[in-house]
Amino acid sequence: MFPEYDVIVVGAGHAGCEAAHAAARMGSKVLMATMNMQTIAQMSCNPAMGGVAKGQIVREIDALGGMSGIVTDHTMIQFRMLNKSKGPAMWSPRAQSDRLEFARLWRNKLEENENVDFWQEMVTGLIVEGDICKGVKTGIGLEIRSKTVVLTNGTFLNGLIHIGEKSFGGGRAGERAATGITEQLLELGFEAGRMKTGTPPRIDGRSLDYSKMEEQPGDENPAKFSFTNTPKLTKQHHCHITYTAPEVHEALKEGFDKSPMFNGRIRGLGPRYCPSIEDKINRFAERDRHQLFVEPEGRDTCEIYVNGFSSSLPEDVQYKALKKVAGFENMKMFRPGYAIEYDFFQPTQLSPTLETKNVHHLFFAGQINGTTGYEEAASQGLIAGINAALSVKNREQFILKRSEAYIGVLIDDLVNKGTKEPYRMFTSRAEFRILLRQDNADLRLTPKAVELGMADMEERIEALDKKKSDMKEIEKYFKSTSIAPNEINSYLEQQKSAPLNQKVKLQSILSRPKISASGIAEAIPSVSSFLNKFTPETKEAAEVKLKYEGYIRKEEEMVDKMNRLEKVGLNSDFDYQKITSLSAEAREKLSEIKPLSIGQASRISGVSPSDISVLLVHLGR
């Protein structure tokens, strides 16, 4: 009935979609297996993409040939660049999406690729022969063979939904849980755990009084995620902000005795940085209010997502408390919030390619690895799909360094340190974040996508070459053009910056705090005339490079030092137990993780600098 596939992707969430799309674009014959064809790429929680550090990940996915940025650009209803008041390492794009349109377009993009087939059924097990994965088994007893398998099961593995004192199996509201895979993986020697996530109630927007809330508009000149020629957002929808109050908290506390979080029924750990409303009230008892973001689910629906009110309390408690929120007095609820527990597998059981160490040709991506968030899942799916396709072709595997991408930081953290709670990306996790800006993701990663053999990259390379050329022209102009005091001093005084006493180069002016290229252009017509030739994106990238040149150079020097350790390779079968001068913990952790280099070994929790010195001496370094 079925041919042998190159790659089978189990699951059709954000990780699964990117994995299937990437492998197919690289020429692999792919089967996407999902329990429900109608929920491909569904945004199970907030209909939004990006945010702090997450927006950088979406741009990196796009630069590598993934689809998340393109789909978001086509379906977003609001765009905001977060942290614009801070340095460029912190600038993070975020978009509010149309939930239904997002999923519809993702499915269309997959269906347009002739290398992708679909099968709607629960996958209940794997075909494993020796230590090699050879395909999957389905609920009706089918065996579908493949050269590689990518598991992207999301919250479905033995998923358990909690609402107050009610609990029932499910991977998402209205959908059943997936069974069988966890049990088989445990038999194969994998270490599993339980995690928890949650979602807030959905509200009828027609029943809300927005006059009692703060309006949150999108950017006046919205940018986009993709480096391709996607449409620019013209008509934006407003989001709104409101707040809880002491009476809201009192109403919620009435249900704490029935909370599965507080009575011990939920065993899994939830995300530290996205707690439920009851957890916020409990942990931050000194606060008398918490911010709520009132966000539309799409252009043509009245459904509202109440960001910040995730809850697993009884539905009547949620309803009573929300009615006390400003603007929600006449609120009508579509469905209550809930918590969901699910199985995950400790990611230290993976290599940096996301292939499992116990079973060859088997890859994990997304929440199965203990992460939370669409963006984190999508990036892992992309890397797993790429490496599955490379494995089929017996080509060298693809690993991103921490200095090359947030995606590299994410995977490096997971495979070396593991996680005890849902892992979420932050800019603070990246030690080279001035290099990993959202504006230069294409410069960093698109050439790698071409080397990988991603199809249809010609236009991207042409656009990238044009961007590089234009940036060099802008940099040359600012470094070679001198400006006189009478031309710029009035602008400098407006910005409370010291006036000039003599001619200086434009870059010297631009490097000052609060001084921008657009401000200089407004003050000096010749600069304005020159910059008008370039796109806003190119001007921004060139300005950041000029303004922060010294900081960038310092980070590049740090990267060079780190890369020296990355070049000192270690064999996966290295016997650390024989090196008695290593600490006991280092021997245990190194034997478990099996690092590929001294650099990777240095980032393993429990391996000290002195342990690294011992290894270097042992290797004759």
Side-chain angles (χ1 to χ4, degrees), residues 422-447:
Y423 179 103
R424 178 183 176 184
M425 180 51 70
F426 294 101
T427 51
S428 58
R429 296 191 191 272
E431 56 270 56
F432 305 116
R433 52 188 172 272
I434 193 68
L435 298 180
L436 307 183
R437 307 182 309 277
Q438 56 84 30
D439 65 88
N440 70 353
D442 56 341
L443 297 168
R444 291 184 276 121
L445 300 175
T446 296

Side-chain angles (χ1 to χ4, degrees), residues 540-613:
E540 178 186 278
E543 179 177 355
V544 169
K545 193 174 178 186
L546 283 162
K547 196 174 182 71
Y548 297 91
E549 192 172 54
Y551 295 99
I552 292 170
R553 192 181 303 115
K554 284 181 182 177
E555 282 207 353
E556 288 172 341
E557 290 169 0
M558 290 169 61
V559 169
D560 287 340
K561 290 179 182 178
M562 187 181 80
N563 284 342
R564 289 174 207 157
L565 293 178
E566 298 295 339
K567 290 175 183 176
V568 183
L570 292 166
N571 292 325
S572 58
D573 58 354
F574 196 99
D575 189 354
Y576 297 98
Q577 299 299 334
K578 289 183 178 178
I579 308 178
T580 54
S581 45
L582 288 171
S583 68
E585 184 178 9
R587 291 200 298 273
E588 178 186 337
K589 293 289 180 67
L590 291 165
S591 299
E592 176 190 346
I593 305 295
K594 299 184 171 113
L596 302 177
S597 70
I598 289 289
Q600 185 186 350
S602 70
R603 297 188 295 275
I604 296 172
S605 177
V607 177
S608 69
S610 61
D611 292 318
I612 296 301
S613 297

Side-chain angles (χ1 to χ4, degrees), residues 1-9 11-12 20-21 24 28-34 37 40 110-120 144:
M1 181 176 177
F2 292 98
E4 182 182 57
Y5 286 92
D6 293 322
V7 182
I8 293 177
V9 177
H21 179 264
S28 291
K29 191 63 180 172
V30 178
L31 178 71
M32 172 178 272
T34 174
M37 290 281 289
I40 290 173
L110 289 167
E111 290 179 350
E112 286 170 5
N113 194 319
E114 294 181 356
N115 282 335
V116 179
D117 291 347
F118 302 88
W119 185 251
Q120 179 174 293
I144 311 174

Side-chain angles (χ1 to χ4, degrees), residues 215-268:
E215 194 172 77
Q216 189 182 42
D219 288 351
E220 188 175 340
N221 295 303
K224 54 196 187 111
F225 281 98
S226 181
F227 294 99
T228 63
N229 190 29
T230 49
K232 192 165 185 178
L233 180 61
T234 52
K235 185 180 178 182
Q236 299 201 64
H237 285 229
H238 294 315
C239 296
H240 291 80
I241 297 173
T242 186
Y243 298 87
T244 62
E247 55 267 29
V248 178
H249 299 179
E250 290 306 312
L252 289 167
K253 288 176 182 176
E254 291 177 13
F256 276 15
D257 60 327
K258 298 179 181 177
S259 167
M261 274 190 56
F262 299 142
N263 62 23
R265 284 194 299 113
I266 291 181
R267 294 179 289 115

Side-chain angles (χ1 to χ4, degrees), residues 281-488:
I281 293 169
N282 192 48
R283 283 166 54 187
F284 308 109
E286 73 281 1
R287 296 189 185 178
D288 59 4
R289 72 174 193 170
H290 293 281
Q291 201 171 44
L292 302 178
F293 296 91
V294 182
E295 300 173 334
E297 296 256 327
R299 291 192 187 280
D300 303 315
T301 178
C302 63
E303 190 172 355
I304 293 294
Y305 179 95
V306 190
N307 192 347
F309 205 88
S310 175
S311 179
S312 59
L313 289 168
E315 61 274 16
D316 59 328
V317 174
Q318 295 182 40
Y319 183 82
K320 181 180 177 182
L322 270 175
K323 295 274 278 189
K324 298 179 183 295
V325 173
F328 280 66
E329 293 83 359
N330 298 310
M331 175 272 300
K332 296 178 181 178
M333 185 183 285
F334 282 168
R335 67 173 172 84
Y338 62 86
I340 181 167
E341 275 189 292
Y342 56 93
D343 293 337
F344 84 103
F345 290 84
Q346 194 55 248
T348 51
Q349 299 168 105
L350 305 175
S351 76
T353 64
L354 297 182
E355 184 179 17
T356 69
K357 295 172 184 174
N358 284 10
V359 179
H360 298 305
H361 302 173
L362 175 64
F363 298 78
F364 291 174
Q367 285 174 288
I368 191 173
N369 290 336
T371 63
T372 181
Y374 306 147
E375 302 83 1
E376 288 87 345
S379 66
Q380 293 170 71
L382 178 73
I383 299 303
I386 287 172
N387 280 315
L390 291 172
S391 176
V392 169
K393 297 177 181 179
N394 293 315
R395 287 178 56 192
E396 183 181 354
Q397 296 284 272
F398 180 63
I399 299 171
L400 285 169
K401 299 173 185 172
R402 296 182 72 90
S403 57
E404 292 177 323
Y406 273 95
I407 299 172
V409 175
L410 166 70
I411 294 173
D412 191 75
D413 280 352
L414 291 174
V415 302
N416 290 321
K417 300 174 183 176
T419 186
K420 294 181 179 178
E421 60 189 46
Y423 179 103
R424 178 183 176 184
M425 180 51 70
F426 294 101
T427 51
S428 58
R429 296 191 191 272
E431 56 270 56
F432 305 116
R433 52 188 172 272
I434 193 68
L435 298 180
L436 307 183
R437 307 182 309 277
Q438 56 84 30
D439 65 88
N440 70 353
D442 56 341
L443 297 168
R444 291 184 276 121
L445 300 175
T446 296
K448 295 181 183 293
V450 175
E451 291 173 11
L452 287 167
M454 284 282 184
D456 305 319
M457 296 297 289
E458 294 81 7
E459 285 187 18
R460 283 177 177 263
I461 284 297
E462 286 178 17
L464 183 60
D465 289 343
K466 178 75 164 62
K467 181 177 179 178
K468 287 179 180 177
S469 174
D470 287 350
M471 285 179 64
K472 283 182 181 177
E473 189 176 346
I474 294 171
E475 289 168 41
K476 182 179 178 182
Y477 179 82
F478 271 76
K479 288 180 177 181
S480 62
T481 303
S482 296
I483 205 72
N486 64 308
E487 295 179 278
I488 196 68

